[in-house]
Amino acid sequence: MGIGKRLATLPTKEQKTWQLISELSQLNHKLPARVWLPTAAFDHHVVRVPHTQAVVLNSKDKAPYIIYVEVLECERFETSGIPLRIPETCIRSARSVDNLLPECVGITAEQRAGSFSTVPNYDNDDEAWAVDDIGKLEVELPEGHTSSSDNISQFSVDSITSTESKEPVFIAVALKEPWQEKVRRIREGSPYGHLPNWRLLSVIVKCGDDLRQELLAFQVLSQLQSIWEQEHVPLWIKPYKILVMSSDSGMIEPVLNAVSLHQVRKQSQLSLLDYFLQEHGSYTTEAFLTAQCNFVESCAGYSLICYLLQVKDRHNGNILLDSEGHIIHIDFGFILSSSPRNLGFETSAFKLTSEFVDVMGGLDGDMFNYYKMLMLQGLIAARKHMEKVVQIVEIMQQGSHLPCFHGSSTIRYLKERFHMSLTEEQLQVLVEQMVDGSMRSITTKLYDGFQYFTNGIM
């Protein structure tokens, strides 16, 4: 958090990134230590931060950044001993990689090279582009709110130091570098990589942002996910972990192997359906049908989330697509009774564009009917357990000044969206009306247009 606050005082992204790498390098001198990353699901000790992999994310006046953390898994954090420090690869200069200090004997050539050559080779320039192209989404945003946008997407960015100019050169390699490939690359360059219990974690550090609303959204999403599993409704959502450190700082778990719809469109220049066909194969292949099914089940899940929580600011920088075809909504800065600049742009129940419908096989397709059926089943299941969802929101509202609780009727409106008095037949009509209204929504098109002209989000 201290690093994040110091970075925010620097004027350019390059200076911020250079400072971040420098400070993390210093941090490594104090590792391994009895410290752990609270967003992880297993006990471990942090042994090293591969500092050249860290990236400052785009933000107008703050400096959120993503770091990767090497850890050793252990039985119990409290009782396991702290791992011994293993010296770095100790290279004197990039020009003479083989001039090793005595304590570095035993490090392989690959490991030596790994400490400098962290950027994979690509056959052509089309596979790499500048960091500044990533997440240029936070240009002019509502006061008091910074869109997480592409921040949470796990794009791959690497930085290397040019040995000739001694200036940092920042290279963003292809967005779709799979997480396992990144793990392999960092492991090869790590002095701890040979250990069987070595693991790699990642986390986004945010300073100057209140993440309590994000945490509320995470808790509601987790509850609904649990309800749908319990009721055997195959809806798919991905609640990512939020750790609130203070009223203006915290950590976010990045979503792996996913890019924003904005980046998909910008980099591929394809429609969403054509991108699916390119990634997963033709209409009749098993890979395409699986990805299409994943898309429908996640789209239905997030449609209900957006309706129940009244999620706004749904531009294409805030919706991710993962490598299996699921969509994942990120950035819950505007929920319940708040909207960006109170523009009131997004009046539809959820975002359902013609591109989404095309991926589902069109209005007359079986998958589009499956989407509507899942919406109905998901709403019926959520309705049975309404109190569990409402309780979370009520608890968070007590004494809260969060913008999502603007006005006293927030809870009443939330309860109304569960439609407890309707029969299942009436609910089906309601779902049809919401789907139809969202599909035809002129306000969705207006908001997407507004985002494109003000922030360049495609």
Side-chain angles (χ1 to χ4, degrees):
M1 295 306 158
I3 291 173
K5 284 176 179 149
R6 287 191 290 279
L7 295 185
T9 63
L10 298 172
T12 69
K13 187 165 177 182
E14 284 70 26
Q15 286 173 300
K16 287 174 180 175
T17 304
W18 194 223
Q19 178 77 16
L20 173 63
I21 290 170
S22 170
E23 292 220 26
L24 291 177
S25 171
Q26 295 296 313
L27 199 63
N28 271 331
H29 295 310
K30 299 173 182 172
L31 295 174
R34 194 173 290 282
V35 289
W36 86 109
L37 207 56
T39 50
F42 55 89
D43 279 13
H44 62 268
H45 288 100
V46 173
V47 292
R48 183 173 178 265
V49 178
H51 51 286
T52 60
Q53 308 294 310
V55 183
V56 176
L57 303 167
N58 277 17
S59 182
K60 192 165 57 173
D61 50 1
K62 296 162 191 150
Y65 61 90
I66 185 167
I67 56 168
Y68 301 92
V69 181
E70 295 178 35
V71 305
L72 296 184
E73 191 170 352
C74 61
E75 287 289 322
R76 271 197 72 186
F77 176 81
E78 295 85 356
T79 54
S80 299
I82 300 170
L84 292 172
R85 180 174 176 79
I86 301 175
E88 287 287 329
T89 46
C90 317
I91 298 174
R92 278 183 185 158
S93 79
R95 291 171 187 271
S96 54
V97 168
D98 292 314
N99 289 343
L100 299 180
L101 297 175
E103 63 262 43
C104 296
V105 175
I107 302 291
T108 66
E110 287 81 9
Q111 283 177 307
R112 289 204 303 271
S115 59
F116 283 88
S117 313
T118 55
V119 181
N121 293 319
Y122 287 102
D123 296 331
N124 59 61
D125 290 342
D126 295 338
E127 290 180 281
W129 55 83
V131 165
D132 289 335
D133 283 340
I134 288 188
K136 260 190 187 165
L137 309 177
E138 299 186 339
V139 187
E140 288 297 324
L141 282 168
E143 281 181 33
H145 175 69
T146 303
S147 164
S148 305
S149 55
D150 275 1
N151 295 3
I152 298 176
S153 124
Q154 185 65 278
F155 45 73
S156 164
V157 183
D158 297 281
S159 59
I160 56 169
T161 304
S162 159
T163 54
E164 296 304 318
S165 64
K166 295 298 176 197
E167 290 297 317
V169 180
F170 302 107
I171 297 173
V173 300
L175 276 176
K176 292 183 300 183
E177 183 194 21
W179 171 248
Q180 289 309 323
E181 184 63 24
K182 181 179 281 294
V183 171
R184 184 193 63 75
R185 207 158 41 75
I186 291 177
R187 186 167 198 156
E188 281 181 3
S190 168
Y192 300 91
H194 65 284
L195 298 169
N197 56 337
W198 182 96
R199 306 282 180 270
L200 187 69
L201 301 173
S202 61
V203 69
I204 292 166
V205 179
K206 296 207 91 174
C207 296
D209 281 321
D210 190 341
L211 296 182
R212 286 176 293 183
Q213 207 163 275
E214 287 277 350
L215 180 60
L216 169 60
F218 165 77
Q219 290 169 337
V220 172
L221 263 68
S222 298
Q223 183 62 257
L224 285 166
Q225 186 182 48
S226 169
I227 289 166
W228 290 330
E229 280 174 11
Q230 189 182 331
E231 298 292 334
H232 306 291
V233 182
L235 291 170
W236 190 97
I237 56 173
K238 168 83 178 135
Y240 48 85
K241 289 180 190 155
I242 302 289
L243 181 72
V244 174
M245 307 285 283
S246 73
S247 62
D248 70 344
S249 66
M251 293 180 178
I252 300 175
E253 173 194 24
V255 177
L256 303 181
N257 297 327
V259 292
S260 71
L261 295 181
H262 160 72
Q263 286 291 351
V264 167
R265 182 175 289 184
K266 183 175 176 183
Q267 302 301 337
S268 73
Q269 298 292 307
L270 297 171
S271 70
L272 196 55
L273 176 58
D274 287 340
Y275 182 79
F276 259 73
L277 291 166
Q278 176 188 286
E279 290 294 301
H280 304 290
S282 62
Y283 292 102
T284 53
T285 60
E286 188 180 341
F288 176 84
L289 293 170
T290 301
Q292 185 187 46
C293 186
N294 289 341
F295 182 82
V296 169
E297 290 173 357
S298 57
C299 211
Y302 280 106
S303 293
L304 281 174
I305 295 289
C306 287
Y307 171 62
L308 293 172
L309 276 184
Q310 292 290 287
V311 185
K312 302 302 180 193
D313 200 25
R314 293 302 87 200
H315 56 69
N316 286 338
N318 282 342
I319 303 173
L320 309 183
L321 182 68
D322 76 6
S323 55
E324 296 176 337
H326 302 105
I327 64 163
I328 302 157
H329 282 248
I330 59 170
D331 192 350
F332 296 93
F334 296 105
I335 55 174
L336 298 171
S337 47
S338 67
S339 65
R341 294 184 190 166
N342 294 313
L343 287 171
F345 255 130
E346 303 159 282
T347 55
S348 60
F350 41 83
K351 184 166 187 169
L352 182 63
T353 65
S354 56
E355 278 206 309
F356 287 13
V357 177
D358 289 343
V359 174
M360 294 182 198
L363 295 173
D364 303 321
D366 292 341
M367 294 307 279
F368 188 64
N369 287 328
Y370 179 49
Y371 164 76
K372 291 190 286 189
M373 185 189 80
L374 285 174
M375 291 270 297
L376 177 61
Q377 289 179 343
L379 191 51
I380 291 168
R383 192 168 72 156
K384 281 169 68 176
H385 303 272
M386 179 188 79
E387 283 307 318
K388 289 180 185 172
V389 177
V390 172
Q391 273 176 353
I392 294 170
V393 181
E394 282 178 331
I395 290 167
M396 286 290 273
Q397 188 177 19
Q398 299 301 315
S400 167
H401 299 292
L402 295 177
C404 62
F405 297 122
H406 180 68
S408 57
S409 45
T410 303
I411 299 292
R412 180 165 55 90
Y413 288 149
L414 173 62
K415 287 180 176 176
E416 283 175 9
R417 287 192 289 275
F418 284 90
H419 302 284
M420 301 301 285
S421 60
L422 297 188
T423 64
E424 290 194 7
E425 289 74 18
Q426 289 170 320
L427 265 189
Q428 186 170 0
V429 173
L430 176 76
V431 167
E432 290 275 358
Q433 287 171 342
M434 287 198 299
V435 168
D436 194 53
S438 297
M439 235 166 22
R440 298 177 196 284
S441 172
I442 188 70
T443 58
T444 296
K445 294 186 181 75
L446 275 172
Y447 192 66
D448 281 345
F450 168 75
Q451 283 295 338
Y452 178 69
F453 286 115
T454 56
N455 294 326
I457 298 171
M458 301 173 81

